[in-house]
């Protein structure tokens, strides 16, 4: 595990730095101050951009990623699938356990002119942790680990944090929810990746490096 962390500093250094910055904000400011500031940064471009960024945490994006990796290597697609199951179970279980209010319900008695993005359905329950953030970090942590060029870690961590921030911009989650999702998603993928990697070394199989492209070639397609 230490070697994995050492080899992927372009991802983990920004991850830890941003995580700590958000934690500091959560500790020294109120939820009202946090959401008032974030909500005040709205713009037409921001509405469009962060509506798109939040798609990186949608289930369809993960499904597409799993399917695409079937054309790369079966074992990598399996790792993505397993991480999806683990991170989703953890995130969903914590949502049900804490059942915290989302911003809309939390501030329901507060008379404030909040900005909402058209086309976004605002939820009110099960705020912690952010499921979209969990999914985004689980995906981009694995993409970083699978990348041959470690500098791709910068892009992966940036996209993951943008997906997390989009949940606050869209008035769906608080920053603390994003912190929880970022932690669960990243750790889930690290655990799954480390376990499968160790198993592949101990018990290598022929199908590990196969993919759908090779199957198609063998069948004359």
């Amino acid at each position: 595990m230490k070697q994995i962390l050492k080899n992927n500093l372009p991802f983990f250094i920004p991850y830890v730095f941003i995580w700590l910055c958000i934690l500091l904000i959560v500790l020294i400011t109120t939820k009202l101050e946090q959401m008032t500031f974030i909500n005040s940064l709205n713009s037409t471009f921001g509405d469009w951009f962060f509506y798109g960024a939040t798609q990186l945490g949608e289930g369809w994006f993960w499904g597409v990623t799993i399917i695409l990796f079937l054309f790369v290597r079966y074992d990598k697609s399996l790792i993505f699938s397993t991480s999806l199951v683990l991170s989703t179970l953890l995130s969903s279980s914590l949502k049900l356990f804490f059942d915290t209010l989302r911003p809309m319900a939390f501030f329901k008695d507060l008379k404030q002119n909040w900005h909402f993005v058209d086309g976004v359905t605002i939820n009110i329950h099960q705020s912690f942790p952010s499921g979209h953030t969990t999914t985004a970090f689980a995906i981009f942590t694995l993409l970083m680990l699978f990348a041959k060029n470690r500098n791709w870690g910068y892009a992966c961590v940036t996209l993951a944090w943008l997906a997390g921030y989009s949940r606050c911009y869209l008035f769906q989650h608080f920053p603390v929810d994003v912190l929880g999702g970022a932690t669960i998603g990243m750790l889930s993928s690290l655990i799954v990746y480390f376990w499968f990697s160790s198993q592949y070394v101990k018990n290598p199989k022929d199908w590990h490096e196969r993919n759908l492209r090779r199957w198609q070639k063998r069948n004359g397609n």
Side-chain angles (χ1 to χ4, degrees):
M1 183 66 77
K2 289 182 178 180
Q3 193 61 38
I4 292 176
L5 297 175
K6 184 178 179 180
N7 290 341
N8 294 280
L9 293 180
F11 179 92
F12 289 111
I13 289 179
Y15 173 90
V16 172
F17 176 76
I18 296 173
W19 196 98
L20 291 175
C21 287
I22 297 175
L23 177 62
L24 180 62
I25 292 172
V26 168
L27 292 176
I28 66 176
T29 62
T30 66
K31 288 184 175 181
L32 177 58
E33 291 172 328
Q34 296 160 21
M35 297 308 294
T36 298
F37 177 74
I38 293 173
N39 199 250
S40 70
L41 299 177
N42 71 84
S43 66
T44 301
F45 173 78
D47 291 356
W48 170 83
F49 181 83
F50 288 110
Y51 180 81
T54 208
Q55 300 303 310
L56 298 174
E58 288 282 356
W60 72 263
F61 182 67
W62 199 318
V64 169
T65 303
I66 292 173
I67 293 173
L68 289 176
F69 266 86
L70 286 173
F71 292 89
V72 179
R73 277 179 54 150
Y74 289 145
D75 58 349
K76 291 184 178 180
S77 184
L78 178 60
I79 290 174
F80 269 105
S81 301
T82 306
S83 180
L84 168 63
V85 173
L86 177 60
S87 61
T88 300
L89 284 175
L90 290 174
S91 178
S92 298
S93 297
L94 289 173
K95 281 179 176 290
L96 292 172
F97 178 78
F98 290 107
D99 195 23
T100 54
L101 296 177
R102 298 201 187 204
M104 173 65 82
F106 191 84
F107 299 125
K108 67 178 181 178
D109 297 325
L110 182 65
K111 294 182 179 180
Q112 186 152 336
N113 187 26
W114 299 108
H115 172 77
F116 300 103
V117 178
D118 292 338
V120 176
T121 301
I122 305 298
N123 298 311
I124 60 175
H125 292 295
Q126 298 181 356
S127 188
F128 181 86
S130 166
H132 281 71
T133 306
T134 299
T135 298
F137 270 92
I139 290 175
F140 285 105
T141 297
L142 287 178
L143 288 177
M144 170 271 299
L145 292 171
F146 291 148
K148 293 182 179 179
N149 187 337
R150 297 308 178 191
N151 286 327
W152 277 106
Y154 293 116
C156 290
V157 73
T158 299
L159 290 172
W161 278 121
L162 284 174
Y165 178 79
S166 74
R167 304 309 292 160
C168 297
Y169 183 95
L170 298 176
F171 214 66
Q172 295 281 37
H173 286 285
F174 295 104
V176 67
D177 305 330
V178 172
L179 280 183
T183 303
I184 295 169
M186 186 269 292
L187 290 179
S188 295
S189 285
L190 278 182
I191 291 170
V192 170
Y193 177 85
F194 181 76
W195 187 83
F196 270 97
S197 296
S198 63
Q199 294 302 307
Y200 290 160
V201 171
K202 296 177 183 178
N203 303 291
K205 303 295 182 180
D206 291 338
W207 63 267
H208 288 171
E209 297 184 7
R210 294 178 184 173
N211 56 53
L212 284 180
R213 290 180 298 171
R214 294 183 181 181
W215 182 85
Q216 291 174 331
K217 289 179 181 179
R218 288 201 303 270
N219 287 271
N221 295 325

